[in-house]
Amino acid sequence: MANQYFMEMQQICKTFPGAKVLNNVELRLKAGEVRALMGENGAGKSTLIKILGGIYSKDQGCGCIKINGKEVEINSVHDAKAHGISIIHQEISLAENMTVADNLFMGEELLKKVRCFVDDKEMINKAQQVIDSMGMDIDVRTKVGDLSIAKQQMVEICRALMYDSKLIVMDEPTSSLTQTEIEQLFIQIEKLKKNGIAIIYISHRMDEIFRIADSITVLRDGELIGTDLAASLDRDKLIAMMVGRELMEVYKNDEKPEPGDECLVVKKFENKYLKDVSFSLRRGEILGFAGLVGAGRTELARAIFGIDKVDSGEIFIEGERAIIRRPQDAIARRIAYIPENRKLEGLFLTNNIRYNVSISVLDKFIKLIGVNKKTEQGILDEHQGSLSIRMTSGEQKVQQLSGGNQQKVLVAKWLATDPQILILDEPTRGIDVGAKAAIYQLIYTLARQGVAIMLISSEMEEIINMSTRIVVMHEGEKAGELENKGTSETMQEKIMLLASGGKINGEGN
């Protein structure tokens, strides 16, 4: 009888200096099966996948990997590809200065018959066919750096589909996609299943998991908690497996913050992305910013923080006109900005945690040529404790952390500046439900302390449950402003109407 599993990982262990991150974990997958891999950040999901993909090696003498019943050695990415395994990582890894076509064929370029020249024309034609099959409006001659993050993510997915993969790992593939793009992805996943391709799907979005997955495997603290059919589980059971307890109220807030006086006023901001955007923000307020991908929310945040130039408009802080031409000006006015793309804009991945947390407050512990190591360590200890960052020590490199713990380091970096105005751009992107609850409680605590918070989020549930007021943007303009009252359903309807260019009771363009 033929082996029923295409891929088996048996008794897998992995130890980093000072910590065992995987302990006898098992994962078996059939051809044509979609397996959701779930767990809190730091549970071991990424480490397990990196072992499967040849990025990490499992501990010597511990466990094995089998393909079609035969034990194999996977010691490199090349080995993984040779066995039909492709991984789409959460963090985008494209060459931004190269075209879409060049990225899709990177390392596998097509050659002309002369064999010393790359066949650019053929690569462009084949790349365009793959892009078109995904329903995307992208010219493959476009440089990747000119695409939105959402479109870059879709290019990553297409690159995996270019090869003869038998197993594709998708790590948070929809975190930057629009609903239309998500639907296109799910159509492709169904095609892959019918063609016998197995898929490991990692996501914290439970509605996606229950829609797309055949089965679910849960890890917690580096150990296998269990595997079951998706149809046998529900949201509450799955959360309990992930966090080890019932988590009934992610947004629970016993003491709601009371907004105070205005501390930030933005008037008539305009540049190539923004059109006449004005709003105000009060102390202790959580002001939500909703809108579709490309609506201008991130561009507004970058303009306020001095990253992007504005052609016209004014900012007033505590009633005084502020000149912000660069991020240093914003930091001096006690504004902090946690960007959406932590890898490119927020963290120094090859540096250690201590360096990343303290880099924005060097003046607190460096005087002339002297470094107060005790003060520097105290800064790390304070925020590591409040955010529950899982780490071996402050000397651990940030790139060795899970995505969720990297996000916590980024939050700690900016909280160390003691901000009075905090801009959060997708702060829970790629973070599990337990870590989300911790981030939400931190946001509530900061608001109660009088910190004014701009919350940009593409998760409707997050915007509605967290915000006092909601600014909705559409194509670079403020489409409307809503007091957060009424039921979640009615608020969602109003937000979506404004975000798509409609009007409500005088609100809109």
Side-chain angles (χ1 to χ4, degrees):
M1 180 179 176
N3 186 69
Q4 63 174 321
Y5 296 108
F6 167 69
M7 187 280 297
E8 298 174 80
M9 300 182 79
Q10 299 178 359
Q11 302 293 308
I12 301 297
C13 298
K14 180 62 180 177
T15 304
F16 289 118
K20 189 163 190 174
V21 295
L22 291 176
N23 184 29
N24 295 324
V25 173
E26 301 205 353
L27 182 66
R28 294 177 172 85
L29 198 63
K30 298 176 182 178
E33 179 183 5
V34 177
R35 171 70 58 80
L37 183 59
M38 303 286 287
E40 293 188 89
N41 291 111
K45 305 186 301 297
S46 294
T47 301
L48 184 66
I49 292 310
K50 286 177 180 178
I51 291 173
L52 179 62
I55 299 170
Y56 291 162
S57 297
K58 61 182 177 60
D59 288 350
Q60 288 292 324
C62 183
C64 66
I65 300 174
K66 293 182 178 180
I67 301 294
N68 287 323
K70 181 180 178 181
E71 187 170 340
V72 299
E73 290 292 331
I74 299 180
N75 297 313
S76 67
V77 174
H78 179 77
D79 289 343
K81 283 187 175 181
H83 291 296
I85 300 169
S86 294
I87 299 182
I88 304 169
H89 296 283
Q90 180 180 353
E91 302 292 354
I92 294 169
S93 58
L94 301 172
E96 293 192 348
N97 62 333
M98 296 172 64
T99 67
V100 172
D102 288 337
N103 271 276
L104 292 181
F105 282 98
M106 190 183 298
E108 303 285 343
E109 289 81 5
L110 302 179
L111 301 178
K112 294 182 178 179
K113 290 183 179 179
V114 182
R115 296 200 63 77
C116 58
F117 295 100
V118 173
D119 194 339
D120 290 310
K121 184 176 179 180
E122 185 65 14
M123 288 198 305
I124 288 171
N125 288 337
K126 288 195 173 183
Q128 195 66 60
Q129 291 174 14
V130 174
I131 291 290
D132 292 345
S133 73
M134 289 288 285
M136 293 187 294
D137 182 21
I138 297 176
D139 186 332
V140 297
R141 294 167 293 184
T142 305
K143 284 190 176 181
V144 165
D146 294 331
L147 299 177
S148 66
I149 291 178
K151 288 187 176 180
Q152 289 182 30
Q153 183 80 358
M154 293 298 282
V155 172
E156 284 268 31
I157 293 167
C158 287
R159 187 162 64 174
L161 298 178
M162 292 285 290
Y163 306 107
D164 187 25
S165 300
K166 302 299 181 185
L167 189 160
I168 299 177
V169 180
M170 299 183 179
D171 190 354
E172 297 286 354
T174 64
S175 59
S176 298
L177 304 186
T178 65
Q179 191 58 45
T180 300
E181 290 165 332
I182 291 172
E183 293 300 325
Q184 287 293 334
L185 173 63
F186 287 173
I187 290 171
Q188 293 302 318
I189 288 175
E190 288 297 328
K191 289 180 181 178
L192 294 171
K193 283 179 61 176
K194 290 177 181 177
N195 290 330
I197 296 174
I199 295 171
I200 297 175
Y201 192 93
I202 302 174
S203 176
H204 296 302
R205 298 181 175 182
M206 293 197 181
D207 55 339
E208 292 181 8
I209 292 299
F210 285 112
R211 176 177 171 183
I212 203 70
D214 300 308
S215 53
I216 301 173
T217 292
V218 177
L219 301 183
R220 188 199 315 149
D221 296 330
E223 299 198 357
L224 175 66
I225 300 303
T227 298
D228 208 338
L229 295 174
S232 301
L233 297 170
D234 58 27
R235 182 185 177 93
D236 291 340
K237 288 180 182 178
L238 186 53
I239 289 174
M241 290 175 71
M242 289 169 58
V243 303
R245 64 188 186 279
E246 297 292 337
L247 193 63
M248 302 301 293
E249 299 179 54
V250 175
Y251 300 99
K252 185 177 181 181
N253 181 20
D254 294 328
E255 184 184 346
K256 290 189 177 181
E258 290 292 335
D261 298 331
E262 282 185 349
C263 64
L264 173 70
V265 176
V266 172
K267 288 187 175 181
K268 298 183 177 299
F269 257 32
E270 294 214 13
N271 61 18
K272 62 180 179 179
Y273 304 110
L274 305 171
K275 305 171 190 175
D276 193 27
V277 178
S278 300
F279 71 92
S280 64
L281 177 65
R282 293 175 288 175
R283 293 191 193 94
E285 180 178 30
I286 303 170
L287 179 62
F289 281 77
L292 303 177
V293 172
R297 296 167 300 163
T298 293
E299 289 76 10
L300 176 61
R302 290 171 58 89
I304 292 170
F305 197 63
I307 299 173
D308 293 342
K309 179 184 176 182
V310 292
D311 299 325
S312 62
E314 297 177 297
I315 294 180
F316 293 86
I317 298 175
E318 304 292 353
E320 176 185 331
R321 188 169 183 267
I323 305 298
I324 298 178
R325 295 192 177 96
R326 55 183 187 160
Q328 290 89 335
D329 297 332
I331 294 169
R333 300 307 298 256
R334 298 181 71 185
I335 301 174
Y337 171 46
I338 297 176
E340 175 184 9
N341 193 328
R342 59 176 174 263
K343 179 181 178 182
L344 293 179
E345 301 176 346
L347 295 168
F348 298 93
L349 295 175
T350 57
N351 285 93
N352 60 35
I353 298 168
R354 174 182 50 76
Y355 177 92
N356 274 271
V357 171
S358 62
I359 187 64
S360 295
V361 289
L362 298 178
D363 59 316
K364 288 187 177 183
F365 60 90
I366 297 179
K367 304 296 181 184
L368 297 179
I369 60 172
V371 178
N372 189 324
K373 292 286 187 180
K374 184 177 180 181
T375 300
E376 183 184 19
Q377 186 62 42
I379 293 169
L380 173 59
D381 290 344
E382 176 187 353
H383 297 291
Q384 187 272 332
S386 63
L387 289 167
S388 299
I389 302 171
R390 294 186 181 182
M391 62 186 197
T392 56
S393 74
E395 302 308 307
Q396 185 178 5
K397 293 188 184 304
V398 170
Q399 65 185 3
Q400 295 176 339
L401 300 176
S402 67
N405 282 300
Q406 287 182 10
Q407 184 73 356
K408 290 179 180 180
V409 170
L410 179 57
V411 172
K413 167 186 171 181
W414 286 108
L415 290 185
T417 67
D418 190 25
Q420 283 302 298
I421 298 169
L422 179 60
I423 305 171
L424 301 168
D425 193 351
E426 305 287 0
T428 64
R429 177 188 171 197
I431 291 180
D432 64 82
V433 66
K436 279 186 178 183
I439 292 290
Y440 296 151
Q441 292 308 311
L442 176 65
I443 292 173
Y444 290 139
T445 298
L446 292 171
R448 285 194 291 268
Q449 293 171 354
V451 178
I453 297 171
M454 286 178 57
L455 175 62
I456 300 169
S457 176
S458 297
E459 292 193 29
M460 190 71 71
E461 183 179 283
E462 185 169 275
I463 281 287
I464 293 174
N465 281 283
M466 294 296 296
S467 308
T468 307
R469 288 183 297 139
I470 300 170
V471 172
V472 185
M473 296 191 66
H474 170 70
E475 295 183 351
E477 298 183 76
K478 177 180 170 181
E481 185 175 307
L482 302 168
E483 289 291 333
N484 197 356
K485 298 178 180 178
T487 65
S488 176
E489 290 78 11
T490 58
M491 284 300 299
Q492 184 167 340
E493 290 174 6
K494 290 179 179 180
I495 290 170
M496 288 307 300
L497 183 58
L498 289 172
S500 58
K503 297 182 180 182
I504 303 170
N505 297 330
E507 296 281 7
N509 301 325

